[in-house]
Structure formats: structure tokens, C-alpha cells
Amino acid sequence: MRSLIDITDLTLDEIDKLIATAEAIIANPSDYSSRCAGKKLATLFYEPSTRTRLSFEAAMYELGGNVLGFSDAGNSSAAKGESVADTVRTVSCFADIIAMRHFKEGAPLVAATFASVPVINAGDGGHNHPTQTLTDLLTIKREKGRLDTLTVGCCGDLKFGRTVHSLISAMSRYANVNFVLISPEELRVPENVRSEILERKGVAFEETTSLDDAMPKLDILYMTRVQRERFFNEADYLRLKDSYILTPEKLKKAKSDLTIMHPLPRVNEISTAVDNDPRACYFKQVLNGKFIRMALILMLLEAAQ
Ligand code: NCD
């Protein structure tokens, strides 16, 4: 059974096809409005979400399918102590495809082992978030016209931010992509991302604490939220939470065609005064997320036939 747990589960060809399908859907949504008639998507969300869950649900509805599931695992049998394995065996009896978000790293992988339908990782702890990355790749492709030859700045909580881990993993596969990793000392990318992805693939990257110094070089600036829920103590969170706040003033040093991204939710990292800057793409990202999830659901359901 084909699932999507890690972004590298997809070949670059498959990512190209997903992007092409998303663009075809954007151009002609009515051609796709009954492709999933009679099919059901289950959304199993053990952690808070607005965009990811609702974009999965909107995606399935726009394909003519239906949706079931839970957005608060406290109301599911998880509260009685049921394992992920048993929950997905059960849900496989009711749904044709599952999107799961879980606070535990690796839970969607366990789910994929026990489910008899495709499982999509909708975010697992501080680990990975492959469908946000597909959203980001579609956005970069639409804004820049390419996925190679880019200087990508990732700024904020690079330690716990799962969107950044998946984005680095995906973008490292394209030619001439280099990274500027901007974070406080305590929130640098985890050792495994540095050694197993960046160093192993020979990708050029630099680490810095200064957004100002990095700004003029960047083609993409990917801002992230400090992941409060993954901190061990509140004092550290409070000390680090406002390390970077993007303002119009800071953007004076940026390229005129910079693409400003953020997976959202934003807390304080981007001043609302930036929202009307034509370079701000974070709300376009949200919309792209629905289209790429439509393409992904189609691909996985087709593979499951
Ligand atoms: C992100 C997540 O859940 O990892 N949000 C999202 O899915 N768009 C980012 C975050 O929570 O900071």
C-alpha cells in the first residue's frame, strides 16, 4: 500500500507530476469535481491544526468525496488507551485513505504499517511534515518558475520545526540549492538533518544568528514559529520566542523578488505590516496547500486501486 510518510517517499518525477496535477486542477477545477465520488478520507488529528486538516477536508470535498474523522483525539478511543495500530485498523474499515497528525514522531509510520489503506503523514511531532513541503514546493514553483538554483533562508525554530526539516530534505535534492540557516544558537537544525541530509548530499549551507546579514542573499525567506509545545520549559520559550520579527524595515535589504513564506500559524514572527508587500506569499501558500493535497489524494487512491 502506497503511503506518504516522508517527503523522500516520492521521487522527483512524482513531485513534478503532483505539481503538474495541482496546476491542472487550478486551471480547470470542474474537471476534477467528481474524481473521488464515493470515496472517503479520514482525518485523524491528535494535535491542533487549522490549515492542514481543513485543507485536506476541502481537498476531498472538491474532488467529490466525503470526509470523516476526529480533530480532538481526547474524544476518540485514544483517550481510553487504544493504540495507533488498532485505531487505524478500525478506520481502514470505514475510509479509503487516512491523513494523520500525531504528537509522537513516527506514529504515522506505525499507522501505515497497520492500515489497509494509504496513510498520509500530516505532521509527526518535531520530525516531518511532507504535505506542508509539497505545498511549499508548489508555491516556490509558481513564484519562481523553478525549484533549482535558489538560495533558501530558513529562519526561526530550526530545531523543533518539522516543516523546515522536510523542506531541507526536499530542496536538497535539486541542483544548485543552498541554504542559509538562521536561528538562535539553541534552536539550530538537529544534528541528523545537518549530517544525514546537508553534509551527506554535499549541499552548501551556512548557519548564522543574524537575519540582517543573511537578508541580501536570499531568494526565499522561510519564516517559522518558535514551537512552544515542544519546549521543556516555559522560561526558554519566553526568552527565544521573539528572536526574529520580520518588518518592512528589515526587508529594505532584501532582493526585490524575494519570496517570503511561512507555514503558519504566525505568532509574532512576521509583522502584519509585511502582509501587503507583494513579496509576501504565506496566504498564497495556504491556497496552494489545498490544490497539492487534491493531487496527492488522487495519486494515492489511484495507486491503491
Ligand atoms: C506547521 C505545523 O503544524 O508544523 N503548521 C502547518 O501545518 N501549516 C507549523 C507550525 O505549527 O508552526
Side-chain angles (χ1 to χ4, degrees):
M1 188 57 58
R2 188 81 198 270
S3 286
L4 176 64
I5 304 304
D6 186 288
I7 192 67
T8 57
D9 294 344
L10 295 166
T11 65
L12 293 189
D13 259 7
E14 287 173 324
I15 290 176
D16 279 352
K17 282 197 188 110
L18 286 171
I19 290 174
T21 304
E23 287 181 322
I25 295 170
I26 292 167
N28 279 308
S30 59
D31 286 359
Y32 293 83
S33 60
S34 54
R35 293 285 182 98
C36 287
K39 299 285 184 192
K40 282 169 280 174
L41 164 77
T43 51
L44 311 184
F45 275 60
Y46 294 75
E47 261 198 341
S49 170
T50 298
R51 271 151 296 274
T52 304
R53 185 174 61 84
L54 295 184
S55 69
F56 265 114
E57 297 191 356
M60 194 54 168
Y61 285 127
E62 291 192 22
L63 291 166
N66 283 299
V67 176
L68 66 168
F70 53 79
S71 56
D72 175 2
N75 286 330
S76 78
S77 285
K80 301 178 186 172
E82 186 171 53
S83 66
V84 162
D86 285 359
T87 298
V88 298
R89 278 195 192 109
T90 303
V91 174
S92 296
C93 300
F94 308 138
D96 302 284
I97 185 164
I98 294 171
M100 173 183 280
R101 167 168 290 188
H102 206 288
F103 49 86
K104 258 197 201 152
E105 283 87 359
L109 178 62
V110 171
T113 313
F114 290 94
S116 53
V117 300
V119 174
I120 301 171
N121 178 2
D124 62 328
H127 190 213
N128 279 323
H129 194 345
T131 65
Q132 179 63 45
T133 297
L134 290 173
T135 300
D136 301 338
L137 295 178
L138 174 60
T139 303
I140 294 169
K141 185 73 197 302
R142 294 186 79 195
E143 296 302 315
K144 288 279 185 268
R146 64 182 191 277
L147 291 168
D148 57 10
T149 320
L150 291 165
T151 298
V152 182
C154 299
C155 178
D157 186 347
L158 310 187
K159 179 177 183 186
F160 296 115
R162 57 192 172 197
T163 61
V164 167
H165 305 157
S166 292
L167 184 67
I168 291 175
S169 171
M171 294 292 292
S172 293
R173 296 158 87 192
Y174 294 93
N176 300 320
V177 169
N178 61 85
F179 294 94
V180 185
L181 304 175
I182 309 147
S183 73
E185 200 56 40
E186 296 93 325
L187 298 179
R188 288 166 61 182
V189 285
E191 179 49 35
N192 70 307
V193 173
R194 192 175 308 114
S195 60
E196 286 166 32
I197 301 172
L198 294 165
E199 287 169 1
R200 198 167 81 190
K201 288 181 179 289
V203 176
F205 71 98
E206 57 179 288
E207 294 185 276
T208 175
T209 55
S210 170
L211 177 56
D212 277 344
D213 289 353
M215 192 67 88
K217 312 175 205 174
L218 306 179
D219 299 308
I220 311 276
L221 172 57
Y222 196 92
M223 296 295 294
T224 62
R225 171 179 75 88
V226 176
Q227 307 280 298
R228 179 181 205 158
E229 64 275 36
R230 314 219 190 277
F231 272 66
F232 300 109
N233 75 68
E234 185 72 1
D236 282 349
Y237 168 72
L238 293 173
R239 183 168 52 82
L240 294 168
K241 73 182 174 66
D242 292 331
S243 299
Y244 303 100
I245 301 175
L246 186 64
T247 58
E249 185 59 33
K250 288 198 180 141
L251 282 167
K252 284 188 178 149
K253 287 183 167 177
K255 288 188 180 173
S256 58
D257 66 346
L258 174 70
T259 300
I260 306 167
M261 300 173 70
H262 191 310
L264 303 179
R266 131 177 87 181
V267 182
N268 227 1
E269 313 77 53
I270 303 182
S271 150
T272 54
V274 173
D275 295 356
N276 290 328
D277 188 305
R279 293 170 290 186
C281 290
Y282 27 96
F283 290 107
K284 287 191 200 171
Q285 256 172 291
V286 177
L287 186 57
N288 288 333
K290 180 184 71 178
F291 295 120
I292 202 80
R293 289 183 174 98
M294 290 172 78
L296 178 66
I297 291 168
L298 282 173
M299 175 196 261
L300 292 179
L301 283 179
E302 215 162 89
Q305 294 287 310

